[in-house]
Amino acid sequence: MRVVYCMVFAFTLVLGAAPTFGAEKPETSHLAFVTEYVRELAAIENIRASAEQELKQGTKDEVFSVAVHSSTLFQLELRSQIRMLRGMHLKAPFDQLIPNLTGFYQQKNRIASKNARCR
C-alpha cells in the first residue's frame, strides 16, 4: 500500500511541476533589484572601512593578518552577491544587467583569490 501512495505522490509531483519546467523566471521588481545592489555596495564598503580601521589601530605585525581577514571577507561577500543576483531576473532592456554584474563579480573574485595565493 505504501508503494502505491509513493507512486501516486511521485506522479503528482511530476505532473504538478510540468507546466513550470523550462518556464522563464518572473521578473524581479526593479525596487528589489536596486535595493539588493545598494546593499551589496554597502557591504563591500563596510569591509573596506573595517579593514582600514583595523590597520590604523593594529600594530605593524598585524598587517598581514588584517589583509588576509579582509580579503577572505571580500571573497565571501562576492560569492554571496553572485548567488543572490543569480536568483533575480530582469526583462529587456535590462535583461543583460544581472549577467554582466555577476560576470564582473566573478572576475573580481578570481583576482582576489589570485592575490590571496600570492601571499
Side-chain angles (χ1 to χ4, degrees):
M1 197 64 172
R2 286 186 203 174
V3 173
V4 174
Y5 286 130
C6 289
M7 289 177 59
V8 170
F9 181 70
F11 284 124
T12 305
L13 283 177
V14 169
L15 293 176
T20 60
F21 182 74
E24 188 176 308
K25 292 182 200 175
E27 182 177 32
T28 304
S29 81
H30 293 186
L31 179 62
F33 170 74
V34 170
T35 302
E36 173 59 22
Y37 183 67
V38 170
R39 186 208 63 80
E40 292 171 0
L41 291 175
I44 293 295
E45 175 58 21
N46 288 340
I47 292 170
R48 187 208 58 78
S50 174
E52 183 179 3
Q53 188 66 25
E54 287 180 35
L55 285 172
K56 284 181 183 177
Q57 292 177 349
T59 64
K60 290 186 178 187
D61 295 335
E62 296 171 338
V63 170
F64 184 73
S65 63
V66 169
V68 169
H69 180 252
S70 61
S71 175
T72 303
L73 287 177
F74 182 74
Q75 290 177 47
L76 290 172
E77 181 61 33
L78 282 175
R79 290 179 196 151
S80 170
Q81 292 174 3
I82 291 168
R83 281 191 305 274
M84 192 68 175
L85 287 176
R86 282 191 178 154
M88 296 182 169
H89 173 74
L90 296 175
K91 292 184 179 174
F94 306 110
D95 56 338
Q96 292 302 308
L97 183 60
I98 292 174
N100 289 343
L101 275 174
T102 55
F104 178 63
Y105 288 172
Q106 287 172 333
Q107 288 177 348
K108 285 171 66 172
N109 202 17
R110 277 193 294 271
I111 290 169
S113 65
K114 283 182 184 178
N115 288 341
R117 285 189 297 235
C118 291
R119 293 183 200 145

